[in-house]
Amino acid sequence: MQTKQQAFLIEEIWLLTFGGAFQHSGIYKANIKERERTYFRNMLRGYIEHTVLDNYKKEVTDQQHIENIIAICEYTTNFEEVLKAPINIGISQKLLNLALKYYWCLGILPEPPHCPVDGIIQLKIYKQPLVNWTQLTCTDAYMQIVKDVRVLAKKDNQSVAHWELVNFDRRVV
């Protein structure tokens, strides 16, 4: 059972998660009211919390993680009245990886298999963003970035999640 404090923090986590994943993405159709956007975010959050996050109570493989990212993309096909298009791999991975990172940092879930892939992380590994993460439609491109992070993390004797936690600095961009 959640305490009031934990419930409060989880609400804050989802504000940060949606803000981080949807910023600059232009996912909503024109003239969509905030009430409809809120309904979409609440439904998506419920899907992730009750269907996807349970998979992370134990270690997952890269393939299982990719399948979850794709499942989130597919779930958003139910919201064509609100969205310009279903969310893509880039937005879905950022949404899921941010949620997993926050839940891990709070001690609710074990360490996630990947980190959120965005421009800041790409700057850290490539010195310039190679791919606009909000436009990522291919799991291969996403996994290449994860593999490159994994190489750097291994050099520092860290997991991908720990490496990102140490190296992420939103003030860089």
Side-chain angles (χ1 to χ4, degrees), residues 101-119:
K101 176 182 177 178
Y102 293 137
Y103 277 70
W104 167 54
C105 287
L106 281 177
I108 297 170
L109 288 174
E111 184 177 327
H114 297 173
C115 65
V117 169
D118 58 18

Side-chain angles (χ1 to χ4, degrees), residues 60-105:
V60 300
T61 65
D62 283 345
Q63 185 57 42
Q64 290 167 320
H65 189 61
I66 292 292
E67 288 169 7
N68 289 327
I69 291 168
I70 292 168
I72 292 168
C73 294
E74 290 171 353
Y75 177 77
T76 65
T77 63
N78 297 311
F79 298 93
E80 60 187 20
E81 68 281 354
V82 176
L83 302 175
K84 290 179 184 174
I87 65 172
N88 62 32
I89 295 297
I91 295 168
S92 180
Q93 68 78 24
K94 180 86 180 257
L95 183 70
L96 179 56
N97 286 325
L98 274 175
L100 291 170
K101 176 182 177 178
Y102 293 137
Y103 277 70
W104 167 54
C105 287

Side-chain angles (χ1 to χ4, degrees), residues 14 17-19 21-22 25 27-28 35-53 68-79 81-83 85-88 91-96 99 103:
W14 282 103
T17 298
F18 283 123
F22 293 169
S25 65
I27 62 167
Y28 298 110
R35 178 177 45 83
E36 295 166 291
R37 293 176 188 214
T38 299
Y39 175 76
F40 163 69
R41 289 190 302 267
N42 287 340
M43 295 299 291
L44 183 55
R45 173 185 169 179
Y47 172 76
I48 293 170
E49 284 183 322
H50 301 295
T51 305
V52 178
L53 291 185
N68 289 327
I69 291 168
I70 292 168
I72 292 168
C73 294
E74 290 171 353
Y75 177 77
T76 65
T77 63
N78 297 311
F79 298 93
E81 68 281 354
V82 176
L83 302 175
I87 65 172
N88 62 32
I91 295 168
S92 180
Q93 68 78 24
K94 180 86 180 257
L95 183 70
L96 179 56
Y103 277 70

